[in-house]
Amino acid sequence: MEEAKLAPKNFIEEFIQQDIQEKGLSHIQTRFPPEPNGYLHIGHVKALYIDFSMAERFGGKCNLRFDDTNPTKEKEEFVDAIEYDIRWLGFNWDKLCYGSDYFDECFEYAVKLIKKGVAYVDDLSKDEMREYRGTLTEPGKNSPYRDRSVEENLDLFYRMRNGEFEDGARTLRAKIDMASPNINMRDPAIYRIKHVPHHHTGTKWCIYPMYDFAHPIQDAIEGITHSLCSLEYEAHRPLYNWVVEQCEFEHKPRQIEFARLNLTNTIMSKRYLRRLVEEHYVSGWDDPRMPTLCGLRRRGYTPQSIRNFCERIGVAKVPSTVEFSFLEHCLREDLNDHAQRAMAVLRPIKLTITNYPEGQSEELDVENNPNDPEAGTRKVTFSRNLWIESEDFLEAPVPKYKRLYPEGPECRLKGAYLITCTGCVKDADGNVTEVLATYDPESRGGDPADGRKVKGATIHWVDANNCADAEVRLYSNLFSDPDPDAADKDYISCLNPDSLEVLTGCKLEKMLEGAAAPAQFQFLRMGYFCVDSKDSSPEHLVFNRAVALKDSFKK
């Protein structure tokens, strides 16, 4: 195994390499087991990335297995979305499986445990089971039904299977140790009754295995060599191993845990995210402020930026929190290399170059991406009437302001000419409606013929006689609090009221008129933007800001 000779990058790779050398493993098999009860979010991506990249690193394979042991909230809609997201990220699975594919095997293994005397049917209610379980400091006590005979347990379990009992009336439990210091080993439930149709098996079953019972069985059947999961399952590992041993599997997967991803200003709980959607705090699961992959994709995140992010945050055993700004950095870095440049004026004000001939127009060559010479150039029209950003003009400038103001310094119009502001036009209420300037005809391209130093800033513009109109949505963090799901906080109260600003009447280069999702651009000085995949149309262009640029000027 060639990849095994490479130096390990993290503790998981060290474990895998150790197993290859000591156990003589001929291949590595991992799996990614999402539950199809919601959309994948950035937290899932870390697990996904680890599962798939570890298999790739060691020349192995990774299965996609839907953990659909709880039919209550699982839907085909989520199955389809998860498959799409994984492919979008650039990963391919070896086998596509469902946990429900193994329900027959799980049932037979449950029967086997009953016959071995290590599983029993319990009549305690959920509340009674919780009472009998004990606490972290006090041992539990045995259920009064723990010593039922094998024959009685088999009879009851088959009757559970046949639908004779109501939901919650009986539970199949593993018989381990109610005094175990690990509370997960205190006779955990392994089957429960749920008279609920299943998205994949229909009404075939009315009893469903618990995750802690089904998962090790599925791993063993599929030949998973390394079951990689987040740190909260570390305390469940003894139960994982117990199930594999008691079911007498010859193949024994190794469970390895890693710290899950925590991001500032973000929540990862599906339950919390569902509330945001259902109570309309956001427009849907694909709202660009959501940490879901469909939301990030709609906002303008690229597969490579997310993969780079996962690679660079690494794999750790100790929980930590990553700054959301680092995810933004990875996106900015990727788009800086690949996104086409364009000029867009988001808060427009007219600029009239008074000494430029009326009715005249010319074409200028502008770079598509200065970081990519092969991206070439494009033609941009220039005329007497332009749109500029309203913040690029101040009638009474503040200190260090180097943009347009009357009798101010020469400024560059990006890729065009040098101009000097001569004044402005106001309406009856005293609001500036038009900026007036003159240009130097000998400075085409932005450089003066005499080599004089230009003291003013370079500003972008759009030809008012040849442009496109658009709506632009400026997104920022959904939560203003860096830790919105802390135990002592109500995460709803941490919502950022300024997480979305919608701008209408924006003026864009004419060439953007035909842009369609998922096209991405750097709007000069404004940030990186993409065409909205849901609301944009040729008749009504909508652009989303994926991430801002850093601005040296602070008002």
Side-chain angles (χ1 to χ4, degrees):
M1 190 175 291
E2 289 294 324
E3 293 288 343
K5 297 178 182 179
L6 298 175
K9 296 180 180 179
N10 54 62
F11 73 94
I12 294 180
E13 292 187 3
E14 289 176 356
F15 285 149
I16 294 176
Q17 198 164 55
Q18 180 185 41
D19 288 344
I20 291 171
Q21 295 167 351
E22 296 180 1
K23 299 178 182 179
L25 295 180
S26 60
H27 74 285
I28 297 300
Q29 181 76 55
T30 62
R31 84 290 169 270
F32 176 56
E35 183 178 3
N37 65 347
Y39 291 86
L40 294 185
H41 56 60
I42 190 66
H44 296 122
V45 174
K46 179 179 179 180
L48 183 159
Y49 180 82
I50 291 172
D51 288 327
F52 280 94
S53 64
M54 289 299 159
E56 288 180 357
R57 166 101 167 143
F58 290 93
K61 297 178 179 180
C62 181
N63 292 346
L64 170 59
R65 185 205 308 144
F66 289 104
D67 168 34
D68 57 351
T69 56
N70 183 357
T72 307
K73 295 181 180 179
E74 295 164 355
K75 299 178 182 178
E76 283 297 319
E77 169 192 353
F78 301 135
V79 169
D80 295 340
I82 290 169
E83 289 184 28
Y84 184 90
D85 285 343
I86 294 172
R87 289 195 180 100
W88 177 74
L89 283 171
F91 292 110
N92 292 297
W93 51 85
D94 180 38
K95 294 179 181 178
L96 175 60
C97 313
Y98 289 84
S100 53
D101 292 338
Y102 304 99
F103 280 175
D104 288 298
E105 288 92 338
C106 288
F107 181 82
E108 292 304 321
Y109 280 113
V111 169
K112 181 174 185 173
L113 297 191
I114 292 173
K115 290 179 178 180
K116 291 178 66 174
V118 293
Y120 64 97
V121 175
D122 194 6
D123 293 2
L124 292 179
S125 68
K126 185 182 293 186
D127 290 338
E128 290 171 331
M129 286 177 63
R130 188 178 296 112
E131 181 185 340
Y132 274 64
R133 186 180 295 126
T135 66
L136 294 174
T137 57
E138 297 178 355
K141 57 183 180 180
N142 291 344
S143 166
Y145 307 99
R146 195 174 194 266
D147 295 324
R148 278 174 163 157
S149 67
V150 169
E151 291 74 22
E152 185 180 5
N153 282 318
L154 285 173
D155 175 65
L156 290 171
F157 190 52
Y158 278 106
R159 290 170 65 189
M160 287 171 59
R161 164 72 177 86
N162 293 333
E164 294 187 26
F165 308 120
E166 295 180 355
D167 290 5
R170 287 187 163 90
T171 307
L172 183 68
R173 300 176 67 180
K175 187 187 290 186
I176 306 179
D177 181 7
M178 289 301 293
S180 172
N182 184 339
I183 204 165
N184 296 292
M185 299 296 281
R186 295 180 188 175
D187 290 10
I190 58 177
Y191 258 95
R192 77 285 210 199
I193 302 171
K194 277 185 179 290
H195 291 271
V196 178
H198 191 278
H199 78 100
H200 193 56
T201 61
T203 56
K204 179 180 178 180
W205 297 92
C206 63
I207 59 171
Y208 294 96
M210 303 296 288
Y211 175 86
D212 280 341
F213 179 65
H215 193 67
I217 291 174
Q218 296 158 5
D219 282 351
I221 292 174
E222 289 182 14
I224 302 303
T225 57
H226 297 87
S227 180
L228 311 176
C229 55
S230 49
L231 204 57
E232 62 262 35
Y233 290 101
E234 184 175 36
H236 296 247
R237 194 197 316 155
L239 179 55
Y240 181 98
N241 294 335
W242 183 91
V243 172
V244 172
E245 290 290 341
Q246 292 297 329
C247 291
E248 300 176 12
F249 283 107
E250 183 177 346
H251 174 76
K252 294 177 172 56
R254 178 178 186 176
Q255 178 173 303
I256 304 173
E257 307 85 15
F258 55 86
R260 67 190 302 174
L261 172 64
N262 295 304
L263 268 180
T264 59
N265 304 91
T266 309
I267 57 172
M268 304 285 193
S269 164
K270 283 184 183 177
R271 178 166 57 90
Y272 288 176
L273 294 176
R274 184 177 293 109
R275 182 185 173 191
L276 293 177
V277 173
E278 292 177 349
E279 297 185 13
H280 306 292
Y281 290 104
V282 294
S283 61
W285 287 97
D286 64 349
D287 187 298
R289 294 166 293 180
M290 290 281 275
T292 54
L293 272 181
C294 56
L296 292 171
R297 180 167 55 245
R298 186 177 171 192
R299 183 160 172 173
Y301 276 79
T302 63
Q304 192 58 50
S305 67
I306 294 174
R307 290 180 65 140
N308 289 346
F309 172 75
C310 292
E311 174 70 22
R312 291 160 75 172
I313 62 174
V315 180
K317 190 75 174 178
V318 179
S320 61
T321 299
V322 180
E323 293 287 335
F324 190 87
S325 59
F326 184 62
L327 177 60
E328 292 181 319
H329 168 76
C330 292
L331 175 62
R332 191 181 290 114
E333 196 174 60
D334 184 44
L335 292 179
N336 187 48
D337 288 337
H338 302 106
Q340 180 177 337
R341 274 42 173 177
M343 290 193 286
V345 177
L346 306 189
R347 299 174 177 86
I349 188 172
K350 290 181 181 179
L351 170 66
T352 300
I353 303 175
T354 55
N355 64 332
Y356 192 91
E358 291 193 42
Q360 180 174 309
S361 178
E362 59 185 292
E363 288 187 334
L364 305 172
D365 285 318
V366 181
E367 285 182 309
N368 284 327
N369 187 332
N371 295 335
D372 181 9
E374 295 184 2
T377 61
R378 67 187 185 282
K379 299 290 186 182
V380 177
T381 61
F382 182 88
S383 69
R384 173 187 175 95
N385 306 113
L386 308 175
W387 294 108
I388 62 170
E389 290 289 341
S390 58
E391 68 177 18
D392 286 340
F393 171 79
L394 284 180
E395 187 177 11
V398 295
K400 298 185 179 180
Y401 186 80
K402 295 183 178 181
R403 304 178 200 178
L404 297 174
Y405 58 90
E407 300 182 6
E410 279 187 309
C411 292
R412 283 187 176 89
L413 290 177
K414 177 67 177 178
Y417 294 95
L418 298 180
I419 61 170
T420 302
C421 181
T422 57
C424 63
V425 177
K426 299 180 182 180
D427 62 18
D429 297 322
N431 300 310
V432 176
T433 59
E434 185 179 3
V435 178
L436 305 176
T438 59
Y439 86 118
D440 176 2
E442 303 301 319
S443 63
R444 182 180 165 116
D447 292 317
D450 59 6
R452 66 185 180 276
K453 184 177 179 180
V454 179
K455 297 180 180 180
T458 299
I459 62 178
H460 66 284
W461 51 275
V462 169
D463 185 351
N465 299 317
N466 189 32
C467 63
D469 293 317
E471 174 184 314
V472 174
R473 299 170 181 175
L474 304 180
Y475 291 99
S476 54
N477 287 329
L478 184 59
F479 294 95
S480 53
D481 192 304
D483 189 15
D485 60 351
D488 60 340
K489 297 174 184 175
D490 170 19
Y491 71 101
I492 295 297
S493 68
C494 298
L495 286 168
N496 177 10
D498 301 317
S499 61
L500 170 60
E501 182 181 4
V502 179
L503 304 177
T504 57
C506 303
K507 307 297 181 180
L508 282 56
E509 277 187 43
K510 188 70 173 178
M511 66 98 173
L512 292 173
E513 199 168 52
Q520 294 164 311
F521 303 88
Q522 183 197 98
F523 289 175
L524 297 185
R525 300 172 63 217
M526 295 288 106
Y528 293 95
F529 293 76
C530 73
V531 182
D532 186 79
S533 58
K534 199 169 187 176
D535 298 333
S536 188
S537 68
E539 296 75 30
H540 180 69
L541 284 174
V542 179
F543 282 83
N544 299 329
R545 184 174 67 186
V547 64
L549 294 177
K550 295 178 181 178
D551 190 354
S552 60
F553 174 72
K554 301 294 182 183
K555 286 190 178 180

